[in-house]
Amino acid sequence: MEMVEKLPVETLQTLDGTFLEKLDVSIISKLSTTVIESLPIAVINKLDSAILSRLSTVTIEKLDISIVGALDVPTLSQLSPTILQKLEKATLRNWVLIISQMIRQ
């Protein structure tokens, strides 16, 4: 696996998704958005929020709700009301506070 992780990103992106999901998260995060979105949701759930915010709304809405709640405000603002309602009340309160602070600035 170590040798595979040293391959250029362009080469890695051509590999089968079932193989890619076994790679380290740091390697997966270098792949294109399209390739990342083709991976199983369990693998995508492990990526950091900077990578997740690049993904489509459709993919983000499939993620674990606790991970969705940790995303930045611009990303959250693109989600459907149904998903936002699933977020914990504390997360929503934090989101409102952040938006309020952004408006004040």
Side-chain angles (χ1 to χ4, degrees):
M1 199 55 104
E2 225 176 272
M3 287 185 71
V4 172
E5 291 179 348
K6 292 180 181 178
L7 292 171
V9 173
E10 295 79 19
T11 305
L12 288 173
Q13 293 189 141
T14 63
L15 298 174
D16 181 65
T18 55
F19 184 76
L20 290 175
E21 66 187 62
K22 296 174 187 169
L23 294 174
D24 186 77
V25 171
S26 64
I27 303 298
I28 292 173
S29 66
K30 294 177 184 175
L31 302 173
S32 73
T33 302
T34 307
V35 173
I36 291 172
E37 288 185 337
S38 70
L39 297 172
I41 293 299
V43 175
I44 298 173
N45 275 333
K46 295 176 186 174
L47 301 174
D48 67 38
S49 60
I51 303 303
L52 296 176
S53 64
R54 292 185 352 214
L55 304 178
S56 71
T57 303
V58 173
T59 301
I60 291 172
E61 290 185 352
K62 293 177 185 174
L63 299 174
D64 182 271
I65 200 69
S66 64
I67 292 168
V68 172
L71 295 175
D72 59 18
V73 172
T75 304
L76 285 173
S77 66
Q78 297 175 28
L79 302 178
S80 71
T82 307
I83 296 300
L84 294 175
Q85 288 171 356
K86 290 181 181 179
L87 294 173
E88 294 177 283
K89 289 180 183 178
T91 303
L92 287 174
R93 268 188 253 117
N94 289 340
W95 191 53
V96 169
L97 289 173
I98 291 169
I99 290 173
S100 299
Q101 290 172 352
M102 288 174 66
I103 291 171
R104 286 184 207 138
Q105 294 175 354

